């Protein structure tokens, strides 16, 4: 591996080969660039895109495709007020019913408005075709018609499955552009602050742009021709991840390049050495994150699998761009890109005393006290993680309530809560009557309707089951469990229960299974990478333990923010797993950067001085990288979708804890307290008793 890195390091920083790298990337971007804009064409937005593989609700969705060539998705219009419905409101609803007729799916009719038992609401159900283009436009037109000329005191909302789908699509339609613009601005501002140069910040951003093009092209091609699952959520997070990790690698490489420019007059030599020394750490980091994310392919939930595989592609593309096009651009531009702080040959790379050297000295004076206090702080924050309220109802998925959520609240107030979104049963026609009778006797079921839907061969029939409770409530989930238990016993019916409530229940249980399956694999993979990188056992185990502790601390701190500041009603079921994979993979990133440098310095200076030198030399760049990555994910906090906002807050807090607590205090303190045992049973452990190789030869500039 060392020999390979040495050979590859001569390419982007070579006098002639830098031109080959630059021209190659330009040709690649020009040839494949048009494909980058086609990622949206391969995104999976079907009903099973966010469901577990093999779940009963997903099987129902698959079976429903057999019933008609033009599936129906109902839009539900609810008219409600404080007073009893009079002739004026009834006339308004009847006029709207006539106006909505042109939007109904072919062969479908709109039934008369259904009055509520309390006489204060009317409900219209418009069966829309879900496969025709322009369903969003049709729902918006229905909302315009329903809202026009409403009598004073009458509230009119459009919801149901169609309204809910359109409101979610509206979120994702603006997601990519909003995230890209916000992330670009955040990274640009932080790079300007970090480098204090009017020019240098452009080079990482330009390199990230190349990485983004390559990422979108690779994702599109793999989705189109290799079956890679891509959904709108993973596509939106993808660009943020590329910006975050790409900028991290750029900061690490540029920092090492600046050091070498102080030691070497020739910038090509400086870049080759910077790549040679920082390359293994960047490679280990990219490999850890990519493999850690790829472990999500073991998850049952399709959206988790999509995010993991798509994210791994983004990390790999970001890595390739940062070790090829960025070095070529920097060497091509010369030293002036650092203006006004141009690194001069023969001058010190940094001041003798820095804030990081002072922190290191403070930790070295009382290492055991330092790591014990760090563990205590993290432990206190982690306590809140054990009191999390898991699960979000449909009405709690948005930071600002969309119209579909308000419509559901109105329906729940005046009708059986499940009236707008009934559970669905698919059964063999021969057993349909027995299934209907069995389902009607289940506690929590308001009524069972035979929709009259049959497959063309007449073999299958659908039934609609109106639940007494709101579709996203725990009571409704319990009813679905009882319903499944009952209809599964009907011989020869092969009945399956699906619908929104069943989908929520299946997703919740799959999330629990995924936690138990994926987390052990991620921990094992990360541990193996650390063992290979550090050639020890004690250090990797401790580093992994610190990142796990940091994760629970971040989860606890995030829960405090969710409850007392942001006002979220609970935590989405997907958050613990997604947060764990992201934080363990990204959190170990900074430990890799730190310990790779510590190991390098320990060989030269001895263990204790090597730890302090590693902390001092990497302090600025790792802190900058952590702040950039945390700020990048914090962009999610402003999104209207609560699940993404929660992920952004959790990852942002976790990265900051890794940056300022784990990497700055906890890990150096543990290393200093354990001494040479930190490297057991590797070569550094065995060599710790011998004097360090701090000779003139060791301090001399390395030759390329």
């Amino acid at each position: 591996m060392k020999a390979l890195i040495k050979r590859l390091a001569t390419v982007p920083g070579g006098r002639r080969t830098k031109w080959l790298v630059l021209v190659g990337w330009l040709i690649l971007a020009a040839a494949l660039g048009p494909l980058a804009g086609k990622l949206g064409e391969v995104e999976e937005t079907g009903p099973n895109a966010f469901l577990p593989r093999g779940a009963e609700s997903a099987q129902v969705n698959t079976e429903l495709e057999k019933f008609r060539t033009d599936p129906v998705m109902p839009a539900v219009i609810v008219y409600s007020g404080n007073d009893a419905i009079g002739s004026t409101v009834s006339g308004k609803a009847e006029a709207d019913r006539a106006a909505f007729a042109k939007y109904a799916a072919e062969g479908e009719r709109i039934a008369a408005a259904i009055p509520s038992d309390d006489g204060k609401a009317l409900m219209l159900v418009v069966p829309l075709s879900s496969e025709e283009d322009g369903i969003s436009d049709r729902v918006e037109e229905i909302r315009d018609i329903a809202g026009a000329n409403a009598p004073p005191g009458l509230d009119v909302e459009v919801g149901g499955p169609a309204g809910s789908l359109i409101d979610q699509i509206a979120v994702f339609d603006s997601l990519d552009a909003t995230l890209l613009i916000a992330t670009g601005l955040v990274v640009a501002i932080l790079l300007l602050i970090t480098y204090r140069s009017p020019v240098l910040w452009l080079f990482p951003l330009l390199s990230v742009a190349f990485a983004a093009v390559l990422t979108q092209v690779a994702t599109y091609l793999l989705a189109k021709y290799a079956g890679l699952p891509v959904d709108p959520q993973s596509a939106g997070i993808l660009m943020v991840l590329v910006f975050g990790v790409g900028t991290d690698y750029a900061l690490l490489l540029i920092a090492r390049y600046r050091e070498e420019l102080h030691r070497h007059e020739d910038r090509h030599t400086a870049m080759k050495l910077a790549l040679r020394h920082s390359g293994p750490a960047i490679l280990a980091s990219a490999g850890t994150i990519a493999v850690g994310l790829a472990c999500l392919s073991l998850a049952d939930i399709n959206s988790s699998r999509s995010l993991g595989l798509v994210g791994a592609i983004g990390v790999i593309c970001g890595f390739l761009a940062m070790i090829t096009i960025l070095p070529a651009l920097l060497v091509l531009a010369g030293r002036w890109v650092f203006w006004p702080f141009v690194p001069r040959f023969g001058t010190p790379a940094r001041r003798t005393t820095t804030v990081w050297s002072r922190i290191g000295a403070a930790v070295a004076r009382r290492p055991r006290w330092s790591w014990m206090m760090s563990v205590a702080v993290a432990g206190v924050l982690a306590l809140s993680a054990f009191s999390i309220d898991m699960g979000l109802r449909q009405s709690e998925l948005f930071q600002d309530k969309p119209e579909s959520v308000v419509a559901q609240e109105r329906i729940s107030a005046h009708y059986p809560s499940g009236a707008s979104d009934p559970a669905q049963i698919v059964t063999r026609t021969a057993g349909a009557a027995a299934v209907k009778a069995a389902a009607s006797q289940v506690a929590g079921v308001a009524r069972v309707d035979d929709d009259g839907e049959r497959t063309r061969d007449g073999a299958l029939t659908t039934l609609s089951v109106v639940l007494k409770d709101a579709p996203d409530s725990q009571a409704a989930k319990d009813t679905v469990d009882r319903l499944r238990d009952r209809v599964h016993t009907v011989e020869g019916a092969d009945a399956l229960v699906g619908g929104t409530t069943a989908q929520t229940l299946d997703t919740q249980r799959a999330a629990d299974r995924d936690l138990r399956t994926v987390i052990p694999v991620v921990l094992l993979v990360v541990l193996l990478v650390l063992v290979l990188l550090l050639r020890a056992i004690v250090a990797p185990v401790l580093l992994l333990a610190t990142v796990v502790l940091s994760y629970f601390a971040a989860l606890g701190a995030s829960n405090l923010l969710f409850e007392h500041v942001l006002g979220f009603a609970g935590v989405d079921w997907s958050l613990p797993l997604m947060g764990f994979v992201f934080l363990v993979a990204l959190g170990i990133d900074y430990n890799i950067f730190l310990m790779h440098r510590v190991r390098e310095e320990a060989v030269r200076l001895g263990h204790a001085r090597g730890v302090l030198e590693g902390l001092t030399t990497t302090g600025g760049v790792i802190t900058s990288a952590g702040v950039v990555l945390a700020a990048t994910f914090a962009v999610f906090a402003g999104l209207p979708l609560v699940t993404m906002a929660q992920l952004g807050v959790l990852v942002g807090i976790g990265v900051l804890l890794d940056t300022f607590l784990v990497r700055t205090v906890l890990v150096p303190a543990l290393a200093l307290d354990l001494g040479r045992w930190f490297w057991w049973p590797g070569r550094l452990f065995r060599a710790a008793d011998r004097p360090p190789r701090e000779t003139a030869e060791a301090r001399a500039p390395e030759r390329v």
Side-chain angles (χ1 to χ4, degrees), residues 20-30 210-211 214 317 320-321 324-325:
L20 295 176
V21 172
L22 182 59
V23 171
W25 271 98
L26 291 174
I27 293 174
L28 186 69
F210 278 103
L214 180 62
C317 292
L320 292 175
T324 54
I325 185 66

Side-chain angles (χ1 to χ4, degrees), residues 620-635:
V621 63
I622 294 180
T623 300
S624 299
V627 171
V628 168
L629 188 62
T632 302
F633 273 90
V635 171

Side-chain angles (χ1 to χ4, degrees), residues 137 141 153-154 238 348 357 382 408 461 496 501 554 569 574-575 589 624 648:
D137 294 335
E141 290 174 14
L154 179 68
L238 176 61
S357 64
Q408 180 58 49
T461 296
L496 299 172
T501 305
S574 65
L575 186 68
D589 209 22
S624 299

Side-chain angles (χ1 to χ4, degrees), residues 626-679:
V627 171
V628 168
L629 188 62
T632 302
F633 273 90
V635 171
F636 287 155
L639 296 179
L641 205 60
V642 169
T643 54
M644 298 192 73
Q646 289 182 340
L647 180 63
V649 171
L650 175 60
V651 174
I653 292 176
V655 168
L656 291 178
L657 284 172
D658 282 323
T659 303
F660 290 102
L661 181 67
V662 174
R663 190 267 314 166
T664 303
V665 180
L666 180 54
V667 170
L670 283 171
L672 290 170
D673 195 23
L674 287 174
R676 70 189 185 101
W677 286 95
F678 190 74
W679 303 105

